[in-house]
Amino acid sequence: MKSPDSGQGFFLCADPWRQQGYQTAHATRRDRLLTSPHFSSAVVTAVRNLAIQQAVYVPLGAMLALIAFAFTVPGYHPLSQHLSELGLMPGLPAKAVQVGAVVSGSAIIVFSLALLAQGRRFALTVLTSILFGVSMVSNGVFTTGSPLHGLYGIGIFSILTPLLFLAELGPAASTRMAWIARAISLLGMAYLWLMLSGFDPEPYRGLTQRIALLPAFGWYTFAALELRRSRV
């Protein structure tokens, strides 16, 4: 049997002074990495990219889920009733419209703040987009009939968002985005005109709302993909 003081013990146990020096050096390198401008910039870029990437799925996905759910609600008529009318029903339908509106609105706000991180280039896009996101969150918090539902219609500015984004993106915009932005803004104006003129057909108010909603939320999918393509 080897004694505790044999050479084997020396090789099995690390030198405490050497180990302490290694830990100190490792901690110093870690601290330098965490406090370096390059690391901070990389983290900010990664968070911004994630905030933009989620807009590919979340705003439109939340609306599609709510639209699909509405077909399963007894006593609710998707063709003639707006989605917000689910909030007047008891139980799960009211909760569903609250969650759907808050999730989609929050995702739009997050996307807008990611654009704001680019500086003043997308300032007007950010302004109108945040107004839309905030109005959607209020749609989930307040029930239809309250003036705070939609914050007095402030989300109307979202009609301008695709065109402003196209203008502020400038030469980096693709041909596809140029057509999509114009078409979605034009469709939004057409739906607004239908509502203000009273020509929105009563039996199909729910249908016309959904036809207008899907491109409005789908635009965020195209915008996020456009930003990823152009690497702005």
Side-chain angles (χ1 to χ4, degrees):
M1 178 180 297
K2 296 185 181 293
S3 67
D5 295 330
S6 65
Q8 185 179 11
F10 176 81
F11 289 107
L12 289 179
C13 298
D15 184 347
W17 293 103
R18 183 180 299 176
Q19 185 176 11
Q20 182 179 4
Y22 171 78
Q23 291 175 346
T24 302
H26 180 70
T28 301
R29 287 197 297 270
R30 182 189 60 198
D31 293 340
R32 287 176 180 173
L33 175 64
L34 293 177
T35 56
S36 69
H38 296 292
F39 179 79
S40 301
S41 177
V43 170
V44 170
T45 299
V47 171
R48 182 181 66 84
N49 290 341
L50 183 61
I52 290 175
Q53 184 66 21
Q54 59 83 30
V56 174
Y57 311 101
V58 181
L60 180 60
M63 280 297 104
L64 286 173
L66 185 58
I67 288 172
F69 170 77
F71 283 101
T72 69
V73 178
Y76 177 82
H77 304 286
L79 287 180
S80 60
Q81 291 183 275
H82 286 170
L83 285 171
S84 58
E85 294 180 59
L86 287 169
L88 300 176
M89 305 181 75
L92 186 58
K95 295 295 182 184
V97 76
Q98 290 170 2
V99 171
V102 170
V103 168
S104 61
S106 299
I108 289 171
I109 293 172
V110 169
F111 172 81
S112 305
L113 294 177
L115 279 183
L116 188 61
Q118 298 275 15
R120 292 181 294 179
R121 178 178 181 178
F122 294 102
L124 295 178
T125 301
V126 169
L127 174 62
T128 57
S129 184
I130 284 182
L131 290 177
F132 183 42
V134 170
S135 72
M136 283 303 303
V137 171
S138 73
N139 284 339
V141 175
F142 304 99
T143 56
T144 183
S146 167
L148 294 177
H149 179 80
L151 289 181
Y152 298 89
I154 201 171
I156 194 175
F157 288 97
S158 65
I159 295 174
L160 298 173
T161 303
L163 291 178
L164 291 172
F165 178 78
L166 179 62
E168 292 175 329
L169 191 57
S174 65
T175 303
R176 181 184 68 173
M177 175 51 67
W179 281 101
I180 287 174
R182 294 182 179 113
I184 291 177
S185 288
L186 184 60
L187 183 60
M189 285 297 299
Y191 180 63
L192 178 63
W193 174 78
L194 279 178
M195 291 192 298
L196 293 178
S197 65
F199 289 154
D200 193 12
E202 191 74 21
Y204 300 104
R205 290 186 312 120
L207 177 61
T208 55
Q209 184 198 43
R210 286 156 177 78
I211 291 174
L213 278 180
L214 290 180
F217 285 91
W219 176 82
Y220 287 92
T221 298
F222 287 112
L225 291 174
E226 183 76 5
L227 289 171
R228 187 170 65 182
R229 181 201 63 81
S230 60
R231 299 184 182 276
V232 174

Short mmCIF file of all heavy atoms in Angstrom, two decimals, residues 14-71:
data_model
loop_
_atom_site.label_atom_id
_atom_site.label_comp_id
_atom_site.label_asym_id
_atom_site.label_seq_id
_atom_site.Cartn_x
_atom_site.Cartn_y
_atom_site.Cartn_z
N ALA A 14 -4.49 18.15 -7.97
CA ALA A 14 -3.96 19.31 -8.67
C ALA A 14 -3.26 20.23 -7.69
O ALA A 14 -3.62 20.33 -6.51
CB ALA A 14 -5.08 20.07 -9.38
N ASP A 15 -2.26 20.91 -8.19
CA ASP A 15 -1.57 21.91 -7.39
C ASP A 15 -2.53 23.03 -7.05
O ASP A 15 -3.07 23.69 -7.95
CB ASP A 15 -0.40 22.45 -8.22
CG ASP A 15 0.44 23.43 -7.41
OD1 ASP A 15 -0.01 23.87 -6.34
OD2 ASP A 15 1.55 23.75 -7.87
N PRO A 16 -2.85 23.29 -5.78
CA PRO A 16 -3.85 24.31 -5.43
C PRO A 16 -3.48 25.69 -5.92
O PRO A 16 -4.35 26.48 -6.32
CB PRO A 16 -3.90 24.25 -3.90
CG PRO A 16 -2.62 23.58 -3.49
CD PRO A 16 -2.26 22.65 -4.59
N TRP A 17 -2.17 26.01 -5.94
CA TRP A 17 -1.77 27.35 -6.41
C TRP A 17 -1.98 27.46 -7.92
O TRP A 17 -2.45 28.48 -8.43
CB TRP A 17 -0.30 27.60 -6.07
CG TRP A 17 -0.07 27.70 -4.59
CD1 TRP A 17 0.46 26.76 -3.77
CD2 TRP A 17 -0.41 28.82 -3.77
NE1 TRP A 17 0.49 27.20 -2.47
CE2 TRP A 17 -0.04 28.48 -2.44
CE3 TRP A 17 -0.99 30.08 -4.02
CZ2 TRP A 17 -0.22 29.34 -1.37
CZ3 TRP A 17 -1.15 30.94 -2.95
CH2 TRP A 17 -0.78 30.57 -1.65
N ARG A 18 -1.67 26.39 -8.63
CA ARG A 18 -1.86 26.39 -10.09
C ARG A 18 -3.35 26.45 -10.43
O ARG A 18 -3.77 27.14 -11.36
CB ARG A 18 -1.22 25.14 -10.69
CG ARG A 18 -1.31 25.09 -12.21
CD ARG A 18 -0.65 23.84 -12.73
NE ARG A 18 0.77 23.81 -12.37
CZ ARG A 18 1.58 22.78 -12.63
NH1 ARG A 18 1.09 21.70 -13.23
NH2 ARG A 18 2.84 22.83 -12.28
N GLN A 19 -4.17 25.69 -9.68
CA GLN A 19 -5.61 25.67 -9.93
C GLN A 19 -6.21 27.05 -9.67
O GLN A 19 -7.05 27.53 -10.44
CB GLN A 19 -6.27 24.63 -9.04
CG GLN A 19 -7.76 24.46 -9.32
CD GLN A 19 -8.35 23.34 -8.49
OE1 GLN A 19 -7.71 22.82 -7.59
NE2 GLN A 19 -9.57 22.97 -8.81
N GLN A 20 -5.79 27.69 -8.60
CA GLN A 20 -6.31 29.02 -8.29
C GLN A 20 -5.92 30.02 -9.37
O GLN A 20 -6.70 30.87 -9.78
CB GLN A 20 -5.79 29.48 -6.93
CG GLN A 20 -6.32 30.84 -6.50
CD GLN A 20 -5.80 31.25 -5.14
OE1 GLN A 20 -4.98 30.57 -4.55
NE2 GLN A 20 -6.27 32.39 -4.65
N GLY A 21 -4.69 29.91 -9.87
CA GLY A 21 -4.24 30.81 -10.93
C GLY A 21 -5.04 30.61 -12.20
O GLY A 21 -5.39 31.58 -12.89
N TYR A 22 -5.36 29.34 -12.52
CA TYR A 22 -6.16 29.05 -13.72
C TYR A 22 -7.56 29.64 -13.59
O TYR A 22 -8.09 30.25 -14.53
CB TYR A 22 -6.24 27.54 -13.94
CG TYR A 22 -7.22 27.15 -15.01
CD1 TYR A 22 -6.88 27.27 -16.37
CD2 TYR A 22 -8.49 26.68 -14.67
CE1 TYR A 22 -7.79 26.92 -17.35
CE2 TYR A 22 -9.40 26.33 -15.65
CZ TYR A 22 -9.04 26.45 -16.99
OH TYR A 22 -9.94 26.11 -17.96
N GLN A 23 -8.17 29.47 -12.41
CA GLN A 23 -9.52 30.00 -12.19
C GLN A 23 -9.54 31.52 -12.28
O GLN A 23 -10.45 32.12 -12.85
CB GLN A 23 -10.05 29.54 -10.83
CG GLN A 23 -10.33 28.04 -10.76
CD GLN A 23 -10.72 27.61 -9.36
OE1 GLN A 23 -10.54 28.35 -8.39
NE2 GLN A 23 -11.26 26.40 -9.25
N THR A 24 -8.52 32.16 -11.75
CA THR A 24 -8.44 33.62 -11.81
C THR A 24 -8.30 34.10 -13.25
O THR A 24 -8.96 35.04 -13.68
CB THR A 24 -7.27 34.12 -10.97
OG1 THR A 24 -7.41 33.67 -9.61
CG2 THR A 24 -7.19 35.64 -11.00
N ALA A 25 -7.42 33.42 -14.01
CA ALA A 25 -7.22 33.80 -15.41
C ALA A 25 -8.49 33.58 -16.22
O ALA A 25 -8.86 34.39 -17.07
CB ALA A 25 -6.06 33.00 -16.00
N HIS A 26 -9.17 32.44 -15.94
CA HIS A 26 -10.42 32.14 -16.66
C HIS A 26 -11.48 33.19 -16.35
O HIS A 26 -12.19 33.65 -17.25
CB HIS A 26 -10.91 30.75 -16.26
CG HIS A 26 -12.18 30.35 -16.94
ND1 HIS A 26 -12.25 30.07 -18.29
CD2 HIS A 26 -13.45 30.22 -16.46
CE1 HIS A 26 -13.49 29.76 -18.60
NE2 HIS A 26 -14.23 29.84 -17.51
N ALA A 27 -11.61 33.56 -15.09
CA ALA A 27 -12.60 34.58 -14.71
C ALA A 27 -12.27 35.92 -15.34
O ALA A 27 -13.17 36.66 -15.77
CB ALA A 27 -12.64 34.70 -13.19
N THR A 28 -10.97 36.23 -15.43
CA THR A 28 -10.57 37.50 -16.04
C THR A 28 -10.93 37.53 -17.52
O THR A 28 -11.46 38.52 -18.03
CB THR A 28 -9.05 37.71 -15.87
OG1 THR A 28 -8.74 37.70 -14.49
CG2 THR A 28 -8.62 39.04 -16.49
N ARG A 29 -10.66 36.42 -18.23
CA ARG A 29 -11.02 36.35 -19.65
C ARG A 29 -12.53 36.44 -19.85
O ARG A 29 -13.01 37.08 -20.78
CB ARG A 29 -10.48 35.05 -20.25
CG ARG A 29 -8.97 35.04 -20.44
CD ARG A 29 -8.57 33.92 -21.39
NE ARG A 29 -8.91 32.62 -20.84
CZ ARG A 29 -8.10 31.89 -20.07
NH1 ARG A 29 -6.88 32.36 -19.76
NH2 ARG A 29 -8.47 30.71 -19.64
N ARG A 30 -13.29 35.78 -18.95
CA ARG A 30 -14.75 35.82 -19.04
C ARG A 30 -15.27 37.23 -18.82
O ARG A 30 -16.15 37.70 -19.56
CB ARG A 30 -15.36 34.88 -18.00
CG ARG A 30 -16.89 34.81 -18.05
CD ARG A 30 -17.40 34.03 -16.86
NE ARG A 30 -17.00 34.68 -15.61
CZ ARG A 30 -16.98 34.09 -14.43
NH1 ARG A 30 -17.30 32.82 -14.31
NH2 ARG A 30 -16.61 34.76 -13.34
N ASP A 31 -14.73 37.92 -17.83
CA ASP A 31 -15.16 39.30 -17.55
C ASP A 31 -14.83 40.22 -18.72
O ASP A 31 -15.61 41.10 -19.07
CB ASP A 31 -14.49 39.81 -16.27
CG ASP A 31 -14.98 39.06 -15.04
OD1 ASP A 31 -16.06 38.45 -15.11
OD2 ASP A 31 -14.27 39.11 -14.01
N ARG A 32 -13.66 40.01 -19.32
CA ARG A 32 -13.30 40.83 -20.47
C ARG A 32 -14.26 40.60 -21.64
O ARG A 32 -14.64 41.52 -22.35
CB ARG A 32 -11.87 40.53 -20.90
CG ARG A 32 -10.80 41.08 -19.95
CD ARG A 32 -9.42 40.65 -20.40
NE ARG A 32 -8.39 41.16 -19.50
CZ ARG A 32 -7.12 40.82 -19.58
NH1 ARG A 32 -6.71 39.97 -20.53
NH2 ARG A 32 -6.24 41.33 -18.73
N LEU A 33 -14.62 39.32 -21.82
CA LEU A 33 -15.55 38.99 -22.91
C LEU A 33 -16.91 39.63 -22.69
O LEU A 33 -17.50 40.22 -23.60
CB LEU A 33 -15.69 37.46 -23.01
CG LEU A 33 -16.73 36.95 -24.03
CD1 LEU A 33 -16.31 37.36 -25.45
CD2 LEU A 33 -16.88 35.44 -23.93
N LEU A 34 -17.43 39.52 -21.46
CA LEU A 34 -18.76 40.04 -21.17
C LEU A 34 -18.83 41.56 -21.25
O LEU A 34 -19.89 42.12 -21.52
CB LEU A 34 -19.21 39.56 -19.78
CG LEU A 34 -19.45 38.06 -19.63
CD1 LEU A 34 -19.83 37.71 -18.20
CD2 LEU A 34 -20.55 37.58 -20.59
N THR A 35 -17.71 42.21 -20.98
CA THR A 35 -17.72 43.67 -20.97
C THR A 35 -17.18 44.27 -22.26
O THR A 35 -17.14 45.49 -22.39
CB THR A 35 -16.87 44.20 -19.78
OG1 THR A 35 -15.54 43.66 -19.88
CG2 THR A 35 -17.49 43.79 -18.45
N SER A 36 -16.78 43.43 -23.20
CA SER A 36 -16.24 43.95 -24.45
C SER A 36 -17.35 44.52 -25.32
O SER A 36 -18.47 44.01 -25.34
CB SER A 36 -15.50 42.85 -25.21
OG SER A 36 -16.41 41.89 -25.70
N PRO A 37 -17.07 45.58 -26.07
CA PRO A 37 -18.07 46.18 -26.97
C PRO A 37 -18.54 45.20 -28.03
O PRO A 37 -19.71 45.23 -28.42
CB PRO A 37 -17.33 47.37 -27.58
CG PRO A 37 -16.20 47.66 -26.66
CD PRO A 37 -15.81 46.35 -26.07
N HIS A 38 -17.65 44.32 -28.50
CA HIS A 38 -18.02 43.36 -29.54
C HIS A 38 -19.06 42.37 -29.02
O HIS A 38 -20.01 42.03 -29.73
CB HIS A 38 -16.79 42.62 -30.04
CG HIS A 38 -15.77 43.50 -30.71
ND1 HIS A 38 -16.01 44.12 -31.91
CD2 HIS A 38 -14.53 43.88 -30.32
CE1 HIS A 38 -14.95 44.83 -32.25
NE2 HIS A 38 -14.04 44.71 -31.30
N PHE A 39 -18.89 41.92 -27.77
CA PHE A 39 -19.85 40.99 -27.19
C PHE A 39 -21.20 41.66 -27.00
O PHE A 39 -22.25 41.09 -27.34
CB PHE A 39 -19.33 40.47 -25.85
CG PHE A 39 -20.26 39.51 -25.18
CD1 PHE A 39 -20.33 38.18 -25.56
CD2 PHE A 39 -21.10 39.94 -24.15
CE1 PHE A 39 -21.20 37.30 -24.96
CE2 PHE A 39 -21.97 39.06 -23.53
CZ PHE A 39 -22.01 37.74 -23.94
N SER A 40 -21.20 42.88 -26.47
CA SER A 40 -22.45 43.61 -26.26
C SER A 40 -23.17 43.85 -27.58
O SER A 40 -24.40 43.69 -27.69
CB SER A 40 -22.16 44.95 -25.57
OG SER A 40 -21.53 44.75 -24.33
N SER A 41 -22.42 44.20 -28.60
CA SER A 41 -23.01 44.43 -29.92
C SER A 41 -23.61 43.14 -30.48
O SER A 41 -24.69 43.16 -31.09
CB SER A 41 -21.95 44.98 -30.87
OG SER A 41 -22.47 45.14 -32.17
N ALA A 42 -22.92 42.02 -30.27
CA ALA A 42 -23.42 40.74 -30.76
C ALA A 42 -24.71 40.35 -30.07
O ALA A 42 -25.64 39.82 -30.70
CB ALA A 42 -22.36 39.65 -30.56
N VAL A 43 -24.79 40.60 -28.76
CA VAL A 43 -26.01 40.28 -28.01
C VAL A 43 -27.18 41.14 -28.49
O VAL A 43 -28.29 40.63 -28.72
CB VAL A 43 -25.77 40.48 -26.50
CG1 VAL A 43 -27.09 40.38 -25.74
CG2 VAL A 43 -24.79 39.45 -25.98
N VAL A 44 -26.94 42.44 -28.66
CA VAL A 44 -27.99 43.34 -29.13
C VAL A 44 -28.48 42.92 -30.51
O VAL A 44 -29.68 42.89 -30.78
CB VAL A 44 -27.47 44.79 -29.16
CG1 VAL A 44 -28.47 45.71 -29.87
CG2 VAL A 44 -27.23 45.29 -27.74
N THR A 45 -27.55 42.57 -31.38
CA THR A 45 -27.91 42.14 -32.73
C THR A 45 -28.74 40.85 -32.69
O THR A 45 -29.73 40.71 -33.41
CB THR A 45 -26.65 41.92 -33.57
OG1 THR A 45 -25.93 43.15 -33.67
CG2 THR A 45 -27.01 41.46 -34.97
N ALA A 46 -28.35 39.90 -31.84
CA ALA A 46 -29.07 38.63 -31.74
C ALA A 46 -30.49 38.85 -31.21
O ALA A 46 -31.45 38.25 -31.73
CB ALA A 46 -28.31 37.68 -30.82
N VAL A 47 -30.64 39.71 -30.21
CA VAL A 47 -31.96 40.00 -29.66
C VAL A 47 -32.83 40.70 -30.69
O VAL A 47 -34.02 40.39 -30.87
CB VAL A 47 -31.84 40.84 -28.38
CG1 VAL A 47 -33.21 41.33 -27.92
CG2 VAL A 47 -31.17 40.04 -27.27
N ARG A 48 -32.24 41.65 -31.42
CA ARG A 48 -32.99 42.38 -32.44
C ARG A 48 -33.45 41.43 -33.56
O ARG A 48 -34.59 41.49 -34.00
CB ARG A 48 -32.14 43.50 -33.03
CG ARG A 48 -32.87 44.34 -34.07
CD ARG A 48 -31.96 45.41 -34.63
NE ARG A 48 -30.88 44.84 -35.39
CZ ARG A 48 -30.98 44.47 -36.68
NH1 ARG A 48 -32.13 44.62 -37.31
NH2 ARG A 48 -29.96 43.95 -37.31
N ASN A 49 -32.55 40.54 -33.97
CA ASN A 49 -32.91 39.58 -35.02
C ASN A 49 -34.02 38.65 -34.57
O ASN A 49 -34.92 38.30 -35.35
CB ASN A 49 -31.68 38.77 -35.43
CG ASN A 49 -30.67 39.59 -36.19
OD1 ASN A 49 -31.00 40.66 -36.73
ND2 ASN A 49 -29.44 39.13 -36.25
N LEU A 50 -33.98 38.25 -33.30
CA LEU A 50 -35.03 37.38 -32.76
C LEU A 50 -36.36 38.12 -32.71
O LEU A 50 -37.42 37.55 -33.02
CB LEU A 50 -34.64 36.90 -31.36
CG LEU A 50 -35.61 35.93 -30.68
CD1 LEU A 50 -35.73 34.65 -31.50
CD2 LEU A 50 -35.13 35.61 -29.27
N ALA A 51 -36.32 39.41 -32.34
CA ALA A 51 -37.54 40.22 -32.28
C ALA A 51 -38.16 40.39 -33.66
O ALA A 51 -39.39 40.44 -33.81
CB ALA A 51 -37.23 41.58 -31.66
N ILE A 52 -37.32 40.48 -34.67
CA ILE A 52 -37.82 40.59 -36.04
C ILE A 52 -38.31 39.23 -36.52
O ILE A 52 -39.37 39.13 -37.16
CB ILE A 52 -36.73 41.15 -36.97
CG1 ILE A 52 -36.48 42.62 -36.64
CG2 ILE A 52 -37.10 40.98 -38.44
CD1 ILE A 52 -35.33 43.24 -37.40
N GLN A 53 -37.58 38.17 -36.22
CA GLN A 53 -37.92 36.84 -36.69
C GLN A 53 -39.27 36.36 -36.16
O GLN A 53 -40.03 35.70 -36.88
CB GLN A 53 -36.82 35.85 -36.29
CG GLN A 53 -37.01 34.44 -36.81
CD GLN A 53 -36.92 34.35 -38.32
OE1 GLN A 53 -36.34 35.22 -38.96
NE2 GLN A 53 -37.50 33.31 -38.89
N GLN A 54 -39.60 36.72 -34.92
CA GLN A 54 -40.87 36.26 -34.36
C GLN A 54 -42.06 36.83 -35.12
O GLN A 54 -43.14 36.24 -35.14
CB GLN A 54 -40.96 36.60 -32.87
CG GLN A 54 -40.85 38.08 -32.51
CD GLN A 54 -42.14 38.86 -32.63
OE1 GLN A 54 -43.23 38.30 -32.45
NE2 GLN A 54 -42.05 40.14 -32.94
N ALA A 55 -41.86 37.98 -35.78
CA ALA A 55 -42.94 38.61 -36.53
C ALA A 55 -43.31 37.81 -37.78
O ALA A 55 -44.38 38.04 -38.36
CB ALA A 55 -42.56 40.03 -36.93
N VAL A 56 -42.46 36.88 -38.19
CA VAL A 56 -42.80 36.01 -39.31
C VAL A 56 -44.00 35.13 -38.94
O VAL A 56 -44.83 34.81 -39.80
CB VAL A 56 -41.59 35.13 -39.71
CG1 VAL A 56 -41.97 34.12 -40.78
CG2 VAL A 56 -40.44 36.00 -40.18
N TYR A 57 -44.09 34.77 -37.66
CA TYR A 57 -45.08 33.78 -37.25
C TYR A 57 -46.17 34.32 -36.32
O TYR A 57 -47.35 33.97 -36.48
CB TYR A 57 -44.38 32.62 -36.53
CG TYR A 57 -43.21 32.06 -37.28
CD1 TYR A 57 -41.90 32.39 -36.92
CD2 TYR A 57 -43.38 31.20 -38.36
CE1 TYR A 57 -40.81 31.88 -37.61
CE2 TYR A 57 -42.29 30.67 -39.05
CZ TYR A 57 -41.01 31.02 -38.68
OH TYR A 57 -39.94 30.53 -39.36
N VAL A 58 -45.80 35.14 -35.34
CA VAL A 58 -46.71 35.39 -34.22
C VAL A 58 -47.92 36.27 -34.58
O VAL A 58 -49.07 35.87 -34.29
CB VAL A 58 -45.95 35.98 -33.02
CG1 VAL A 58 -46.91 36.22 -31.85
CG2 VAL A 58 -44.84 35.03 -32.59
N PRO A 59 -47.76 37.46 -35.17
CA PRO A 59 -48.95 38.29 -35.41
C PRO A 59 -50.00 37.59 -36.27
O PRO A 59 -51.18 37.53 -35.91
CB PRO A 59 -48.37 39.53 -36.11
CG PRO A 59 -46.95 39.59 -35.68
CD PRO A 59 -46.52 38.17 -35.59
N LEU A 60 -49.57 37.05 -37.41
CA LEU A 60 -50.52 36.36 -38.29
C LEU A 60 -51.00 35.06 -37.66
O LEU A 60 -52.19 34.71 -37.74
CB LEU A 60 -49.86 36.09 -39.64
CG LEU A 60 -50.75 35.36 -40.67
CD1 LEU A 60 -52.00 36.16 -40.99
CD2 LEU A 60 -49.95 35.07 -41.95
N GLY A 61 -50.09 34.33 -37.02
CA GLY A 61 -50.47 33.06 -36.40
C GLY A 61 -51.53 33.22 -35.33
O GLY A 61 -52.46 32.40 -35.23
N ALA A 62 -51.41 34.26 -34.50
CA ALA A 62 -52.40 34.49 -33.45
C ALA A 62 -53.77 34.79 -34.05
O ALA A 62 -54.80 34.32 -33.54
CB ALA A 62 -51.95 35.65 -32.56
N MET A 63 -53.79 35.57 -35.14
CA MET A 63 -55.07 35.89 -35.78
C MET A 63 -55.68 34.66 -36.46
O MET A 63 -56.88 34.44 -36.39
CB MET A 63 -54.87 37.01 -36.81
CG MET A 63 -54.82 38.39 -36.22
SD MET A 63 -56.37 38.88 -35.40
CE MET A 63 -55.89 38.68 -33.68
N LEU A 64 -54.84 33.87 -37.11
CA LEU A 64 -55.35 32.65 -37.75
C LEU A 64 -55.93 31.69 -36.72
O LEU A 64 -56.98 31.07 -36.95
CB LEU A 64 -54.23 31.96 -38.53
CG LEU A 64 -53.81 32.63 -39.84
CD1 LEU A 64 -52.58 31.93 -40.42
CD2 LEU A 64 -54.95 32.62 -40.85
N ALA A 65 -55.26 31.58 -35.58
CA ALA A 65 -55.76 30.70 -34.51
C ALA A 65 -57.11 31.20 -33.99
O ALA A 65 -58.03 30.40 -33.75
CB ALA A 65 -54.74 30.63 -33.38
N LEU A 66 -57.24 32.52 -33.82
CA LEU A 66 -58.49 33.08 -33.33
C LEU A 66 -59.61 32.91 -34.35
O LEU A 66 -60.75 32.57 -34.00
CB LEU A 66 -58.30 34.56 -32.99
CG LEU A 66 -59.49 35.28 -32.36
CD1 LEU A 66 -59.92 34.59 -31.06
CD2 LEU A 66 -59.16 36.75 -32.11
N ILE A 67 -59.30 33.13 -35.62
CA ILE A 67 -60.30 32.96 -36.68
C ILE A 67 -60.77 31.50 -36.74
O ILE A 67 -61.97 31.22 -36.88
CB ILE A 67 -59.72 33.41 -38.03
CG1 ILE A 67 -59.59 34.94 -38.07
CG2 ILE A 67 -60.61 32.95 -39.19
CD1 ILE A 67 -58.87 35.47 -39.27
N ALA A 68 -59.84 30.57 -36.64
CA ALA A 68 -60.20 29.15 -36.67
C ALA A 68 -61.02 28.77 -35.45
O ALA A 68 -62.01 28.02 -35.56
CB ALA A 68 -58.93 28.30 -36.74
N PHE A 69 -60.65 29.30 -34.29
CA PHE A 69 -61.39 28.99 -33.06
C PHE A 69 -62.83 29.49 -33.15
O PHE A 69 -63.75 28.83 -32.65
CB PHE A 69 -60.69 29.63 -31.86
CG PHE A 69 -61.49 29.57 -30.59
CD1 PHE A 69 -61.59 28.40 -29.87
CD2 PHE A 69 -62.17 30.70 -30.13
CE1 PHE A 69 -62.35 28.34 -28.70
CE2 PHE A 69 -62.92 30.65 -28.97
CZ PHE A 69 -63.01 29.47 -28.25
N ALA A 70 -63.04 30.63 -33.79
CA ALA A 70 -64.37 31.23 -33.86
C ALA A 70 -65.37 30.30 -34.56
O ALA A 70 -66.57 30.33 -34.25
CB ALA A 70 -64.31 32.57 -34.60
N PHE A 71 -64.88 29.45 -35.47
CA PHE A 71 -65.79 28.52 -36.16
C PHE A 71 -66.32 27.43 -35.24
O PHE A 71 -67.28 26.75 -35.58
CB PHE A 71 -65.05 27.87 -37.35
CG PHE A 71 -64.91 28.77 -38.54
CD1 PHE A 71 -63.71 29.42 -38.79
CD2 PHE A 71 -65.98 28.97 -39.42
CE1 PHE A 71 -63.58 30.26 -39.89
CE2 PHE A 71 -65.85 29.80 -40.52
CZ PHE A 71 -64.64 30.45 -40.75
#
